[in-house]
Amino acid sequence: MAIFKKLVLPAALAAFMSGTGVASAVTEIQWWHAMGGTNGERVNKIAEDFNATQSDFKVVPTFKGNYTETMTAAIAAFRAKKQPHIVQVFEVGTATMMAAKGAIYPVEQMMKDTGEPFDKSDYLPAVISYYQTSEGELLSMPFNSSTPVMWYNKDALDKAGVSKVPETWPEVKEASEKLVAAGYKCGFSFGWQSWVMVENFSAWHNIPMGTEENGFKSTKTTFEFNNDIVKTHIKNLQDWETGNLFVYGGRRGDSLPMFTNGECGMWMNSSAYYGSIKSQAKFNFGQTMLPYYPNVIDKPQNSIIGGATLWVLRGKADDDYNGVAKFMTYLSSPEVQAWWHQETGYVPITTAAYELSKKQGFYEENPGTDIAIKQLSLNTPTPNSRGIRFGNFVQIRDIINEEMEAIWNKSKTPEQGMDDAVKRGDALLRKFEEANGS
């Protein structure tokens, strides 16, 4: 992509200016992450470029598996006193990390303790609010932030005679009928179904997923996503399996090939699939905001964040944290964030990176790539749409997946599946509350 040629990371300039002097001692900063494949290579580049800007610290990135495996490995390592300095944790692990009070070093506190300049107002509110305490302290540094969007095959919609990109669920149904009639194997599919079809669906329609402001107020929260609105939506999806208007394709990104191979005309999943879709799709594609039900809400509220943040762990030498803080500053710089955003589809975490991407013409050259930012910032978040903070939610997502799959294979009704998901999820919330208090 031509735009990337315009991006010069600060590391390159700094390396050129600093000459080839070799430091006598370098402190290693261990960074455990969950980015495989191409994104793993990009993580390595960020670390290498930072290392080239100075000679006191060396960030060493290590891939530790998927999000769940990476978080589990870090917790086990901390207990064994072999923890890394930085660990990448996905958004649903936030409550679990917050509960590990002796293990985490809040990033805002670390920046203050090390004297590293840090201004929260530089960061997009929709991104950082998910990771702040009730007092506003930022606990972890946003890194790869995304939100679900609707991807669509422009050529397929044209062929099927769909003149307007769907904005509502009734329009998605109508477009799907036309796609199937035109010979496509399915109208639409989606991935990360709890995140997209329960968590974001609820926020988008400004309805609570749980009590206590979706868990932000206290651990006494209980689930409410077995409400009539969600059940009706899930029932619609189950009904639309007939005739292949909707086809289920797996829990995470498993259904991506169904979209990129041209089988399904629409796909709802993370904005961060931009890089993969751009490299794999042999058709004209676009992205738009998630659909909504106009009989539920006049206009949608806002979507919520996904992806992961970087948590700093305690137990290292004081000087090590000077290096961690400098790396966090580098990572948040407009140039690095604009590069990361434009390469991956993750949203920029700062206003400056967003403005730089605009100035560089990225959104003009790649229409739709700012949809995620606009969707996250569509309206001022409400207690229903700020995000979620449920303990044990990594395991609870598995429960929701199991129950939704039982609905898709018709072994349960939507009412049974959603009620069972809430009942089983509430049991894990109570375990978390007992272990961690309010």
Side-chain angles (χ1 to χ4, degrees):
M1 189 177 300
I3 187 69
F4 297 142
K5 295 176 182 176
K6 302 175 189 175
L7 292 169
V8 179
L9 295 186
L13 183 60
F16 176 76
M17 294 176 67
S18 62
T20 56
V22 179
S24 56
V26 177
T27 300
E28 287 196 350
I29 305 297
Q30 298 297 327
W31 175 18
W32 288 7
H33 67 87
M35 310 301 284
T38 305
N39 279 345
E41 295 170 10
R42 290 168 180 145
V43 162
N44 291 340
K45 175 173 173 53
I46 289 172
E48 290 165 6
D49 288 346
F50 167 74
N51 295 339
T53 67
Q54 43 72 55
S55 56
D56 296 325
F57 304 98
K58 180 183 180 182
V59 171
V60 181
T62 304
F63 174 66
K64 299 298 284 188
N66 65 32
Y67 283 139
T68 303
E69 292 163 346
T70 301
M71 185 173 81
T72 302
I75 292 171
F78 188 85
R79 289 174 181 152
K81 294 183 167 51
K82 294 180 179 178
Q83 71 274 23
H85 298 77
I86 305 166
V87 60
Q88 181 189 25
V89 178
F90 60 161
E91 86 283 9
V92 294
T94 300
T96 300
M97 295 299 287
M98 287 179 69
K101 292 183 173 66
I104 65 165
Y105 194 167
V107 70
E108 186 171 345
Q109 184 64 48
M110 181 201 66
M111 300 297 269
K112 181 180 177 184
D113 291 347
T114 56
E116 189 71 17
F118 177 74
D119 186 350
K120 265 188 308 203
S121 67
D122 292 342
Y123 296 79
L124 292 170
V127 173
I128 65 168
S129 64
Y130 199 111
Y131 306 104
Q132 289 176 292
T133 65
S134 53
E135 290 78 37
E137 181 183 34
L138 186 62
L139 296 166
S140 55
M141 181 63 75
F143 174 51
N144 55 306
S145 296
S146 60
T147 200
V149 296
M150 187 170 82
W151 298 95
Y152 60 92
N153 180 333
K154 291 181 180 179
D155 298 343
L157 292 183
D158 287 345
K159 181 183 175 185
V162 179
S163 57
K164 173 177 171 287
V165 176
E167 295 180 9
T168 67
W169 277 107
E171 290 171 355
V172 168
K173 181 194 177 191
E174 184 182 349
S176 297
E177 290 170 338
K178 290 181 178 180
L179 284 162
V180 172
Y184 290 91
K185 290 185 179 178
C186 84
F188 70 94
S189 189
F190 48 73
W192 287 97
Q193 58 187 347
S194 172
W195 183 49
V196 180
M197 291 297 152
V198 179
E199 299 158 42
N200 268 281
F201 176 86
S202 298
W204 198 228
H205 290 84
N206 198 23
I207 54 177
M209 188 175 170
T211 60
E212 298 293 306
E213 297 187 2
N214 285 344
F216 272 80
K217 279 180 69 176
S218 82
T219 57
K220 299 182 188 302
T221 181
T222 57
F223 286 122
E224 297 181 308
F225 60 83
N226 59 338
N227 57 68
D228 289 343
I229 295 171
V230 172
K231 283 180 177 175
T232 298
H233 175 54
I234 300 300
K235 175 69 165 61
N236 287 340
L237 294 174
Q238 187 192 59
D239 289 345
W240 296 343
E241 286 186 292
T242 302
N244 291 340
L245 303 188
F246 155 60
V247 174
Y248 178 62
R251 294 187 178 187
R252 296 186 178 224
D254 319 59
S255 53
L256 173 63
M258 294 166 62
F259 179 67
T260 55
N261 292 344
E263 295 173 32
C264 300
M266 296 171 286
W267 190 59
M268 289 163 234
N269 210 334
S270 173
S271 58
Y273 282 100
Y274 173 73
S276 297
I277 293 173
K278 186 170 182 62
S279 64
Q280 295 174 28
K282 306 302 182 191
F283 50 80
N284 293 307
F285 66 88
Q287 58 179 302
T288 190
M289 293 191 187
L290 293 171
Y292 67 99
Y293 285 100
N295 63 321
V296 173
I297 193 167
D298 290 336
K299 292 291 180 185
Q301 173 58 40
N302 64 275
S303 61
I304 55 177
I305 210 82
T309 55
L310 303 184
W311 291 76
V312 181
L313 301 181
R314 293 189 182 273
K316 300 293 184 179
D318 288 349
D319 184 55
D320 289 16
Y321 294 110
N322 289 323
V324 175
K326 290 184 185 308
F327 178 59
M328 294 297 184
T329 296
Y330 175 82
L331 193 68
S332 302
S333 66
E335 294 82 1
V336 174
Q337 273 298 306
W339 174 80
W340 176 249
H341 161 55
Q342 294 175 30
E343 286 270 319
T344 63
Y346 287 113
V347 300
I349 63 174
T350 65
T351 304
Y354 179 41
E355 293 300 329
L356 178 59
S357 293
K358 272 201 269 191
K359 184 179 177 183
Q360 291 168 335
F362 179 68
Y363 304 123
E364 284 184 13
E365 291 186 25
N366 303 275
T369 46
D370 57 348
I371 287 290
I373 304 164
K374 290 178 177 177
Q375 190 175 261
L376 283 165
S377 309
L378 193 59
N379 289 294
T380 302
T382 70
N384 297 331
S385 69
R386 177 184 177 187
I388 58 171
R389 189 166 289 169
F390 302 118
N392 287 332
F393 199 65
V394 177
Q395 300 94 314
I396 291 168
R397 259 198 184 163
D398 287 339
I399 288 171
I400 295 172
N401 275 323
E402 288 170 12
E403 296 296 342
M404 292 180 82
E405 286 174 345
I407 293 168
W408 308 145
N409 67 29
K410 307 290 197 297
S411 62
K412 287 190 180 184
T413 65
E415 184 154 341
Q416 289 171 326
M418 289 294 99
D419 285 347
D420 288 349
V422 163
K423 183 178 179 181
R424 295 172 65 193
D426 278 346
L428 287 183
L429 288 180
R430 297 291 68 77
K431 283 186 178 180
F432 187 83
E433 182 188 5
E434 289 164 14
N436 299 288
S438 60

